[in-house]
Amino acid sequence: MKEKIDINTWIRKDHFNFFNAFEEPFFGVTVDVDCTSTYREAKQNGASFFLLYLHKSLVAANAIEPFRYRIIDDEVWKYKTVHASATINRPNGTFGFGYIDFDEHFNDFCLGANKEIEKVRATTGLIGSSSGENVIHFSALPWLNFKSMSHARSFSHQDSCPKISFGKVRDENGKKIMTVSIHVHHALMDGFHVSAFVDQFQELLNKNQELILG
């Protein structure tokens, strides 16, 4: 479900028209987050650490309205909910793209995510599932403590989906620290909104939730 935004009366009208004309309208930041509590939470409950922090990042993204904005045929639409289009690693070193529905309950989210992971790992191709515009493009580089990141782009293809990448978890002063790269379309949001996402994500990482895994 999505709702069209009237650009002519939108508070971001000038910002949208300015940045949407750019050949490269995306900007990105790289930040560190403290995932100590979430890492411990996953280990204590036998849950996937990846799926747990992925779910919390989706909760945060859905809470920050601009992360649900998309540009379709030069019109701005606001989706009610956004989901995950994530890279799924295979044991042979390749990966495929998987589509994972967001559910506010982690246990239900996990059920769908694990099915999608099994599906992608059972294939050899790149695109295992199709997705629409109401997704965030997620990727993980759990082997690399990167300091910045860029993404491959097809400039002939209109794309306004945020791109979030997670790095290697490292130990610092008794804490588990993870680098997160966030790239977003500047016609739809600014640094203020990215900061709000990071703050919301960190708050969720600091909290434990009741996990019932079957």
Side-chain angles (χ1 to χ4, degrees), residues 79-116:
Y79 282 92
K80 182 179 180 180
T81 306
V82 291
H83 309 278
S85 176
T87 56
I88 306 299
N89 296 320
R90 300 188 182 100
N92 64 3
T94 67
F95 70 89
F97 294 121
Y99 173 81
I100 303 173
D101 276 320
F102 172 68
D103 192 295
E104 62 180 6
H105 301 291
F106 175 70
N107 305 311
D108 294 329
F109 173 79
C110 240
L111 290 174
N114 284 322
K115 288 181 181 178
E116 185 67 7

Side-chain angles (χ1 to χ4, degrees), residues 141-157:
L141 288 81
W143 325 274
L144 188 63
N145 176 23
F146 57 81
K147 300 302 181 184
S148 65
M149 174 178 285
S150 63
H151 291 274
R153 289 283 310 280
S154 173
F155 290 104
S156 62
H157 173 68

Side-chain angles (χ1 to χ4, degrees), residues 35 38-39 41-43 45-60 84-89 98-118 120-121 138-140 142 166 169 178 201 204-205 209 211 213-214:
C35 55
T38 292
Y39 184 88
E41 179 185 14
K43 297 303 178 182
N45 290 277
S48 164
F49 173 57
F50 166 66
L51 289 183
L52 189 53
Y53 73 66
L54 177 64
H55 180 259
K56 291 185 178 185
S57 68
L58 273 173
V59 173
S85 176
T87 56
I88 306 299
N89 296 320
Y99 173 81
I100 303 173
D101 276 320
F102 172 68
D103 192 295
E104 62 180 6
H105 301 291
F106 175 70
N107 305 311
D108 294 329
F109 173 79
C110 240
L111 290 174
N114 284 322
K115 288 181 181 178
E116 185 67 7
I117 290 172
E118 291 178 7
V120 172
R121 287 180 174 170
F138 286 100
S139 58
F166 305 101
V169 176
M178 181 172 64
F201 185 35
L204 291 166
L205 289 172
Q209 58 195 55
L211 304 183
L213 303 174

Side-chain angles (χ1 to χ4, degrees), residues 163-207:
K163 304 172 195 318
I164 300 176
S165 303
F166 305 101
K168 182 179 181 179
V169 176
R170 62 189 189 275
D171 293 307
E172 287 189 5
N173 300 318
K175 296 181 178 181
K176 298 288 185 182
I177 306 297
M178 181 172 64
T179 301
V180 183
S181 168
I182 307 158
H183 282 74
V184 297
H185 200 296
H186 213 340
L188 299 178
M189 70 179 89
D190 307 313
F192 171 81
H193 306 103
V194 175
S195 296
F197 164 79
V198 173
D199 289 344
Q200 182 73 18
F201 185 35
Q202 183 62 72
E203 183 179 337
L204 291 166
L205 289 172
N206 292 340
K207 291 181 179 179

Side-chain angles (χ1 to χ4, degrees), residues 123-137:
T123 66
T124 57
L126 181 63
I127 302 176
S129 300
S130 59
S131 62
E133 298 292 333
N134 61 330
V135 295
I136 292 177
H137 296 151

